Amino acid sequence: MPRRRTSSSSSSTGSSTGSPSTPRNRTPQAVRIRRRSFGDFVKAFFAFVALLVLVVGVPGALAVAVGWPLPNGVPSLDWLQKPITTGTFLHILTVIVWLAWAQFTACVLVEIKAAVSGVGVPGRVPGGGPSQLLARQLVAALLLVGATAASLTPGLSQLGHSFDENQRGTVAAAQQTPGGGLFAQQQEQAASTAAALAEQAAGAAAHADAGGGASKADDTKYYRIQPPEGRHHDSLWEIAERHLGDGRRYKEIFDLNKDRVQPDGSKLSEASLIRPGWIMEMPGDARGGDLVEMPEASGGSAAQQQIHDYGQSGDHAQGGGAQQGGGAQGGGTGHASLPEQRPAPDQQPDRQTGHQEQHQQHATSTNAASDAFGLPQALVGAPLLAAGLLGALGRRRRQALWQSAFGAVGGRRGMEPPTPTGDAADAQDALLVGADPEGVRLLDRSLRGLAASLAAESRPLPTVYATWLSGNGDLHLQLAQPSGNPPAPWQLGQDQTFWMLARADAERYEDVDAAAPYPGLVSLGTLDDSRLLLNLESVPGIVSLSGSEADRAAVFASVAAELATNGWSDRMTITLVGFGEDLTPLAPNRLRHLEGIADLVETMEAETRQRRGALGAAGHDSVLTGRTGPAQHTRWAPHLVLLAAEPSADDAMKLAELAADAGRLGIGYLVGTESGDLPGAAWEMEITGEGKLLAPLLGLELDAQLLPVPLQRAVVELFVESDPEREPQGPATAPPFLVDVSEQGRPAVYARLVGPYEIIGLDTPDGDRSALLHEALALLLLHREGVHPRVLSSALWPRGVTDDVREALLDRLRAWLGTDPDGSPRLKTDSTGRLTLAKTVVSDLDVLRSLYHEATQGRGVDSRVVRGRLLTDALVLVRGPLLADRPEGRYRWLTHEIIDAQLPLLVADIGLALSEFHLVKDRAEKAIEALGAALNSAPGDERLWHELLRATHATGDTDRLQALAADLITRSGARGLPPRTEALLDELLPTWRNGVAAVG
């Protein structure tokens, strides 16, 4: 690219041009273009001859030499029995050549259309490959000397007479937004584009004249960003590929235009996301029919004013007018801030400084508290990630519990999940402290509600590049382009590319039957008190991440873990390449691991072809319409690729080609790099050793969300220990706390949790703190292994609480519980700092577990009488569901527990054991009575119904058995009876189907 000379003299407007060291991409300057040489004409001539021969000569030669190779009529069966001669073979070859010619001709036509129109990238001819590449090179060489600015002169000649009318009102002050310099917006008025084109060209010409005529104004070429065509958007990579011959030269275009004021008042601050109607100054060797050469500046007063304004924007970019322009434009620096924190320009520096200091103090206090209590801050400070992991862990433990109860895996493993220790225990506590399930629920309902509302209005989903969750719970969607007014209760944000939903409105959303519209959202980090979620599947290209290997690995692990367990997606595939094999236990159905890039390229080439074909066959232009439309097929689920190691140059180019169209296909790529220079990278980020996620071109500096290697191991250990497919390790797990069930084992404090909450042995606390103390005691009773103080406080105050309030509560709880006769407190602190209760504080759930354990593994094993008495006493304790009368809005921490699954299974086990005890002695009525009591607490347990059928059959009363079968059918509803229940009825009551048919 020709070297450009800058001028140090003042412009005609009186503004300073800056020093010669000022970056050349800051101020518009003319570029001297290399004139077309004799070699260009020779290349064009040979390209013309080659095209003539291939497009016209080949079919002519075939027609003369061979003629039409196909039969003139429908061949008979006798034709298949004729021997294959040389002529037959030649005819087959001729057909192949005809097909190759037709494909090449189609490639030529496609390339000529793309080159002449200049809109979008050429369409891909199926199976074109090398043929289309050859056609592209020949067409480019032919048009190299035939495309001049004269072809666009009539359009330019009409410019310069109505600048005021075209430009008025289009350059407005843009308010600073979350990630304000991050994403592109659409041009709203076509007239302003034409005016800005003349303005930018005239401004460059004036600056070139001020430089002493070092370059001529008509040497500079410009390209106007084309409007989107379908789901395709113009990009600098494609522009460089068309007009510079190499997509990797997109950075040259970016350097020439960075920070220059565009027609809509914003500036280019990110190298891949550009807006239709923007104007790009091109390098001097750019070629193509849709480029515009420098027009001569018009002499009207309005034009002079436009030139002056443009010169001012150039000076602002150099630094002389930075503060003047920055306050007015707002988007010049591209820094991110919250809508509610956008002060007036003259107040912004002080407000911003004050907010940063406040945030630093908050972060310092948070970290100090975390260090004091020994919990990993990486999970405590990642509420969405923690909520996803905690929810997935709970589902895993429930699944293991149910499989164990129903005998799906080996022997019984007991009713209790393994108690984590060491780093795993700290990780679990950090999950409990940091998780924000309410935030996840609101995010999920809000996005699904938006999708349902748009579908009801027959409107497509907008492409969302990112989501911001502000500190007060408001949700901001950052759109790829304006999409009109959002459906209520959503509102327009600070501009047309932001949709905003207040937390109060989000809380009114109910569950809707709609597919998750944006499952590819993943947390990257926080800016002040706002959390950024990037929509990986909508990125128009690759997201690259540079930094040290360890720091990159922590980011990749965090992204993988959140994508695998988040609560705002239905289904997806996450491919981990070169890392993360040990992360697959987090979500075996979502995560898959590949060893090398070669396997990845092969896999993604096949999937890209499949998705393109599927979209075309279904008539969709993107996965957004397919995902939320009538189809809602699994093929529209996102596929996100996380490649930690830097690919080779060849592999990087292959990935760039695959990612060029990935946005509309629902495929996202996050790729690690050592150098930070990755072909096809749409967004470039860097992770520092201090935990900062930097994206200078995006104007972002986030506190990154990380999952370091030691924490990865601890989290994975929690999931591995709870794996339902894991073989039992040793005998069945005993309850965590056994009590003395004899008469001598009376506790000092007895709490009844199974049913209405009652406490015996303590006075009821006075005042409003009574409910809080009761809830704290219930949490401690359900966790006899100990509760971390921060876990207790986060359970009681989900939105946070100060240390002094927590300590005051613990003091009141100690005073309320009192001491044992020996003077020891009933609320203690163990060696790890966790709160534990004395053995003299007991709940009915502890007694229930102990009675069943004693009956099946203790004294009841050797004594039938003792076993019957213990099981009967246990079943009497069951008065209803756990904490049946708990007040609304409290005890939300129970959603993290598995006690809601443990208690019904425990009651069912007791009922089954007592039924067996009575049936052995032919006491069917007693067995039926025990099973009925158990069914009151576990009505969905299939095992109880099976035993009830057997016990009823043992009475010999066929009518009673028929009535029970009819009751079961009624309860099953539209789903019908389970197969095992049907098989049992066939065995016990062969005529049950006739009875059902008669009733029907």
Side-chain angles (χ1 to χ4, degrees), residues 964-980:
L964 179 59
D967 184 30
L968 270 174
I969 294 169
T970 303
R971 290 174 180 270
S972 64
R975 295 177 300 174
L977 292 175
R980 288 183 295 186

Side-chain angles (χ1 to χ4, degrees), residues 498-518:
F498 275 83
W499 287 2
M500 190 273 290
L501 180 67
R503 181 184 178 95
D505 294 327
E507 289 174 344
R508 290 195 287 268
Y509 264 118
E510 300 292 338
D511 291 328
V512 295
D513 185 15
Y518 305 113

Side-chain angles (χ1 to χ4, degrees), residues 447-461 487-488 509 512-514 628-630 632:
L447 296 178
R448 293 180 193 267
L450 174 64
S453 299
L454 290 172
E457 298 177 7
S458 299
R459 295 173 58 187
L461 279 167
Y509 264 118
V512 295
D513 185 15
T628 58
Q632 295 189 14

Side-chain angles (χ1 to χ4, degrees), residues 103 124 137 139-140 204-205 281 372 389 493 568 625 714 729 744 772 848 963:
Q103 183 192 60
R124 295 191 178 183
Q137 293 173 345
V139 171
E281 182 180 344
L389 289 171
W568 54 87
T625 55
Q729 303 294 321
Q744 294 74 27
L772 203 61
L848 188 67

Side-chain angles (χ1 to χ4, degrees), residues 241-394:
E241 192 173 55
R242 290 199 304 270
H243 300 293
L244 301 177
D246 187 351
R248 289 173 293 185
R249 294 184 62 186
Y250 77 95
K251 290 188 177 182
E252 298 178 26
I253 306 176
F254 173 75
D255 290 339
L256 289 173
N257 297 276
K258 184 175 182 292
D259 289 336
R260 293 170 64 171
V261 178
Q262 292 292 340
D264 58 359
S266 55
K267 300 179 182 180
L268 175 66
S269 60
E270 195 277 318
S272 65
L273 297 175
I274 50 182
R275 308 178 184 178
W278 278 11
I279 301 135
M280 297 290 112
E281 182 180 344
M282 300 294 291
D285 59 341
R287 298 289 186 271
D290 51 355
L291 297 179
V292 181
E293 289 191 6
M294 178 75 66
E296 294 185 5
S298 58
S301 60
Q304 293 295 337
Q305 181 63 40
Q306 296 295 330
I307 295 172
H308 172 77
D309 294 342
Y310 186 80
Q312 288 289 78
S313 67
D315 291 340
H316 162 62
Q318 290 180 1
Q323 299 193 6
Q324 298 171 357
Q329 295 296 339
T333 60
H335 292 304
S337 62
L338 290 178
E340 63 272 16
Q341 295 171 345
R342 292 192 310 275
D346 57 344
Q347 299 177 355
Q348 183 170 353
D350 295 337
R351 286 284 303 277
Q352 183 177 4
T353 302
H355 188 83
Q356 288 177 352
E357 291 177 355
Q358 181 181 3
H359 171 63
Q360 290 173 359
Q361 293 174 0
H362 172 74
T364 301
S365 63
T366 302
N367 290 334
S370 176
D371 294 341
F373 284 97
L375 295 184
Q377 182 63 22
L379 289 177
V380 173
L384 304 184
L385 170 62
L389 289 171
L390 196 59
L393 182 60

Side-chain angles (χ1 to χ4, degrees), residues 605-656:
E605 284 178 344
E607 180 156 350
T608 300
R609 287 193 302 269
Q610 185 272 333
R611 291 203 175 209
R612 283 177 181 153
L615 282 177
H620 298 301
D621 56 357
S622 77
V623 296
L624 286 179
T625 55
R627 182 178 299 153
T628 58
Q632 295 189 14
H633 195 274
T634 55
R635 62 190 175 194
W636 312 132
H639 186 168
L640 304 175
V641 176
L642 308 182
L643 174 58
E646 182 171 13
S648 65
D650 292 340
D651 291 332
M653 289 302 299
K654 293 178 182 177
L655 289 176

